[in-house]
């Protein structure tokens, strides 16, 4: 009895419809795109999705976008620490390349801020029983536009168990009053541009004058090229954009017997 075997010796189906090949190619292409990584080692497909969501003309629901990102097997910490900052840089690059308008950047940044807030609410606090609970203040000085980056650092500090307050664009009088009312253990001043280092130095002088040398003073942001030089200019105790490093430096003095 003859059989109508549609498979050749290599196991490939003969007379297969062209649509099957097209579908297979599409699936392979999509999978390849999803595996592609950015220059920062992040999944480019996810970054493109975030960019698309925050630039969309449709209603933006941060909780829905967060759930979508979690569906890509991303941890909340990775979203906060890696993907939100990378998406913000993508917006800036697209604006510089004249692909989007300044209004688009502004709206996109505000949406990333909302996404960050939702992610921060879902993040787990790492605070061991009996551990020192630091009081931290993140300062965005006047004329700085580094609010999103400062919010990322604030979220990281909260995850480390710190109580965090934020000072945004306060004049020196308001900042002094805040510090006198509630002296923090750690003050982290953001610096988005090297050109604003003198302003950051003035802010640190205001902090020193208000509360002395008690708080650990950290400077973070885009001023990481020559850390020693930045410390000399600003009078900071440490220059870092890593929340864990700032907290560790602060704890050395909080836990020191000489401070008791």
């Amino acid at each position: 009895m003859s059989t109508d075997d549609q498979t050749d010796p290599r196991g490939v189906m003969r007379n297969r419809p062209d649509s099957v090949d097209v579908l297979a190619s599409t699936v392979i292409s999509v999978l390849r795109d999803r595996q592609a990584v950015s220059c920062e080692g992040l999944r480019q497909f996810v970054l493109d999705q975030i960019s698309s969501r925050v630039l969309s003309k449709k209603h933006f629901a941060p909780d829905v976008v967060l759930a979508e990102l979690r569906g890509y097997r991303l941890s909340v910490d990775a979203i906060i620490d890696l993907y939100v900052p990378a998406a913000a840089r993508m917006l800036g690059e697209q604006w510089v390349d004249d692909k989007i308008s300044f209004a688009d950047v502004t709206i996109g940044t505000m949406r990333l801020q909302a996404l960050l807030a939702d992610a921060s609410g879902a993040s787990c606090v790492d605070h061991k029983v009996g551990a020192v609970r630091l009081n931290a203040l993140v300062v965005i000085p006047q004329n700085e536009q580094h609010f999103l980056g400062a919010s990322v650092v604030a979220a990281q500090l909260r995850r480390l168990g710190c109580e965090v307050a934020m000072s945004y664009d306060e004049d020196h009088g308001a900042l002094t009053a805040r510090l006198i009312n509630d002296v923090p253990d750690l003050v982290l001043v953001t610096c988005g541009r090297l050109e604003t280092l003198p302003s950051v130095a003035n802010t640190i002088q205001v902090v020193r004058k208000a509360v002395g040398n008690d708080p650990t003073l950290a400077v973070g942001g885009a001023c990481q090229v020559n850390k020693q030089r930045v410390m000399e200019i600003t009078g900071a105790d440490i220059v870092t954009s890593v929340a864990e490093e700032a907290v560790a430096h602060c704890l050395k003095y909080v836990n020191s017997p000489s401070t008791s």
Side-chain angles (χ1 to χ4, degrees), residues 4-8 12-18 20-21:
D4 186 14
D5 188 355
Q6 297 296 312
T7 306
D8 68 14
V12 179
M13 294 292 294
R14 298 194 307 271
N15 303 322
R16 180 170 55 188
D18 291 342
V20 174
D21 290 329

Side-chain angles (χ1 to χ4, degrees), residues 80 116 138 148-159 164 188 190 220-221 240-243:
I80 293 172
L116 177 61
V138 178
L148 184 62
S151 297
V152 170
V153 172
Q156 293 171 341
L157 289 170
R158 292 189 180 98
R159 193 168 70 228
V164 183
L188 196 150
T190 64
T240 181
S241 289
V242 180

Side-chain angles (χ1 to χ4, degrees), residues 196-239:
T196 61
L197 275 176
S199 175
V200 171
N202 289 335
T203 300
I204 288 180
Q205 289 177 10
V206 169
V207 176
R208 295 290 194 205
K209 185 177 180 179
V211 292
N213 294 322
D214 287 341
T216 293
L217 276 165
V219 172
C223 54
Q224 307 292 309
V225 178
N226 189 333
K227 294 185 178 182
Q228 186 59 41
R229 181 58 178 155
V230 172
M231 289 175 65
E232 292 172 357
I233 293 173
T234 62
D237 299 310
I238 183 174
V239 177

Side-chain angles (χ1 to χ4, degrees), residues 151-194:
S151 297
V152 170
V153 172
Q156 293 171 341
L157 289 170
R158 292 189 180 98
R159 193 168 70 228
L160 293 170
C162 299
E163 294 284 351
V164 183
M166 298 191 71
S167 165
Y168 177 64
D169 200 33
E170 290 184 319
D171 60 32
H172 291 172
L175 179 58
T176 297
R178 174 194 288 274
L179 290 164
I180 293 174
N181 184 59
D182 186 13
V183 180
D185 301 298
L186 170 65
V187 178
L188 196 150
V189 184
T190 64
C191 181
R193 296 171 293 141
L194 292 175

